[in-house]
PDB file of all heavy atoms in Angstrom:
ATOM      1  N   TRP A 831     -19.870  -2.070 -22.529  1.00 41.00           N
ATOM      2  CA  TRP A 831     -20.477  -2.594 -21.337  1.00 41.00           C
ATOM      3  C   TRP A 831     -20.215  -1.364 -20.274  1.00 41.00           C
ATOM      4  O   TRP A 831     -21.166  -1.030 -19.471  1.00 41.00           O
ATOM      5  CB  TRP A 831     -20.011  -3.810 -20.881  1.00 41.00           C
ATOM      6  CG  TRP A 831     -20.803  -4.310 -19.535  1.00 41.00           C
ATOM      7  CD1 TRP A 831     -21.985  -4.748 -19.517  1.00 41.00           C
ATOM      8  CD2 TRP A 831     -20.099  -4.237 -18.264  1.00 41.00           C
ATOM      9  NE1 TRP A 831     -22.337  -4.999 -18.153  1.00 41.00           N
ATOM     10  CE2 TRP A 831     -21.149  -4.762 -17.424  1.00 41.00           C
ATOM     11  CE3 TRP A 831     -18.964  -3.913 -17.740  1.00 41.00           C
ATOM     12  CZ2 TRP A 831     -20.948  -4.885 -16.120  1.00 41.00           C
ATOM     13  CZ3 TRP A 831     -18.754  -4.053 -16.449  1.00 41.00           C
ATOM     14  CH2 TRP A 831     -19.774  -4.609 -15.563  1.00 41.00           C
ATOM     15  N   ARG A 835     -23.009   0.730 -18.326  1.00 41.00           N
ATOM     16  CA  ARG A 835     -23.078   0.704 -16.775  1.00 41.00           C
ATOM     17  C   ARG A 835     -22.918   2.103 -16.206  1.00 41.00           C
ATOM     18  O   ARG A 835     -23.647   2.492 -15.338  1.00 41.00           O
ATOM     19  CB  ARG A 835     -21.945  -0.166 -16.307  1.00 41.00           C
ATOM     20  CG  ARG A 835     -21.919  -0.383 -14.890  1.00 41.00           C
ATOM     21  CD  ARG A 835     -20.850  -1.347 -14.436  1.00 41.00           C
ATOM     22  NE  ARG A 835     -20.812  -1.493 -13.014  1.00 41.00           N
ATOM     23  CZ  ARG A 835     -21.499  -2.362 -12.320  1.00 41.00           C
ATOM     24  NH1 ARG A 835     -22.341  -3.115 -12.833  1.00 41.00           N
ATOM     25  NH2 ARG A 835     -21.366  -2.433 -11.050  1.00 41.00           N
ATOM     26  N   ALA A 838     -26.216   4.065 -16.747  1.00 45.00           N
ATOM     27  CA  ALA A 838     -27.231   3.529 -15.969  1.00 45.00           C
ATOM     28  C   ALA A 838     -26.915   3.937 -14.389  1.00 45.00           C
ATOM     29  O   ALA A 838     -27.851   4.172 -13.629  1.00 45.00           O
ATOM     30  CB  ALA A 838     -27.279   1.971 -16.003  1.00 45.00           C
ATOM     31  N   ALA A 839     -25.599   4.077 -14.125  1.00 43.00           N
ATOM     32  CA  ALA A 839     -25.322   4.400 -12.757  1.00 43.00           C
ATOM     33  C   ALA A 839     -25.707   5.905 -12.426  1.00 43.00           C
ATOM     34  O   ALA A 839     -26.145   6.260 -11.434  1.00 43.00           O
ATOM     35  CB  ALA A 839     -23.866   4.266 -12.502  1.00 43.00           C
ATOM     36  N   ALA A 841     -28.236   7.228 -13.828  1.00 47.00           N
ATOM     37  CA  ALA A 841     -29.723   7.218 -13.753  1.00 47.00           C
ATOM     38  C   ALA A 841     -30.173   6.607 -12.403  1.00 47.00           C
ATOM     39  O   ALA A 841     -31.331   6.635 -12.085  1.00 47.00           O
ATOM     40  CB  ALA A 841     -30.381   6.518 -14.992  1.00 47.00           C
ATOM     41  N   GLY A 842     -29.164   5.860 -11.778  1.00 48.00           N
ATOM     42  CA  GLY A 842     -29.595   5.171 -10.519  1.00 48.00           C
ATOM     43  C   GLY A 842     -30.136   3.774 -10.687  1.00 48.00           C
ATOM     44  O   GLY A 842     -30.718   3.166  -9.806  1.00 48.00           O
ATOM     45  N   VAL A 843     -29.907   3.189 -11.844  1.00 46.00           N
ATOM     46  CA  VAL A 843     -30.347   1.845 -12.252  1.00 46.00           C
ATOM     47  C   VAL A 843     -29.148   0.917 -12.364  1.00 46.00           C
ATOM     48  O   VAL A 843     -28.243   1.232 -12.989  1.00 46.00           O
ATOM     49  CB  VAL A 843     -31.216   1.838 -13.570  1.00 46.00           C
ATOM     50  CG1 VAL A 843     -31.672   0.455 -13.916  1.00 46.00           C
ATOM     51  CG2 VAL A 843     -32.287   2.847 -13.429  1.00 46.00           C
ATOM     52  N   GLU A 844     -29.290  -0.283 -11.911  1.00 45.00           N
ATOM     53  CA  GLU A 844     -28.183  -1.270 -11.946  1.00 45.00           C
ATOM     54  C   GLU A 844     -28.413  -2.018 -13.342  1.00 45.00           C
ATOM     55  O   GLU A 844     -29.344  -2.759 -13.491  1.00 45.00           O
ATOM     56  CB  GLU A 844     -28.210  -2.236 -10.778  1.00 45.00           C
ATOM     57  CG  GLU A 844     -27.118  -3.189 -10.807  1.00 45.00           C
ATOM     58  CD  GLU A 844     -25.753  -2.536 -10.544  1.00 45.00           C
ATOM     59  OE1 GLU A 844     -25.681  -1.456  -9.860  1.00 45.00           O
ATOM     60  OE2 GLU A 844     -24.695  -3.072 -11.066  1.00 45.00           O
ATOM     61  N   PRO A 845     -27.439  -1.920 -14.323  1.00 45.00           N
ATOM     62  CA  PRO A 845     -27.636  -2.628 -15.542  1.00 45.00           C
ATOM     63  C   PRO A 845     -27.336  -4.081 -15.500  1.00 45.00           C
ATOM     64  O   PRO A 845     -26.583  -4.527 -14.601  1.00 45.00           O
ATOM     65  CB  PRO A 845     -26.653  -1.886 -16.502  1.00 45.00           C
ATOM     66  CG  PRO A 845     -25.630  -1.414 -15.543  1.00 45.00           C
ATOM     67  CD  PRO A 845     -26.310  -1.077 -14.307  1.00 45.00           C
ATOM     68  N   THR A 846     -27.792  -4.882 -16.324  1.00 45.00           N
ATOM     69  CA  THR A 846     -27.491  -6.269 -16.464  1.00 45.00           C
ATOM     70  C   THR A 846     -26.218  -6.408 -17.274  1.00 45.00           C
ATOM     71  O   THR A 846     -26.046  -5.802 -18.268  1.00 45.00           O
ATOM     72  CB  THR A 846     -28.595  -7.210 -16.994  1.00 45.00           C
ATOM     73  OG1 THR A 846     -28.957  -6.627 -18.328  1.00 45.00           O
ATOM     74  CG2 THR A 846     -29.793  -7.141 -16.108  1.00 45.00           C
ATOM     75  N   PRO A 847     -25.232  -7.248 -16.856  1.00 45.00           N
ATOM     76  CA  PRO A 847     -24.058  -7.305 -17.701  1.00 45.00           C
ATOM     77  C   PRO A 847     -24.187  -8.231 -18.889  1.00 45.00           C
ATOM     78  O   PRO A 847     -24.032  -9.346 -18.861  1.00 45.00           O
ATOM     79  CB  PRO A 847     -23.042  -8.025 -16.619  1.00 45.00           C
ATOM     80  CG  PRO A 847     -23.919  -8.677 -15.683  1.00 45.00           C
ATOM     81  CD  PRO A 847     -25.168  -7.909 -15.572  1.00 45.00           C
TER      82      PRO A 847
END
Side-chain angles (χ1 to χ4, degrees):
W831 181 76
R835 183 174 176 90
V843 179
E844 185 66 29
T846 58

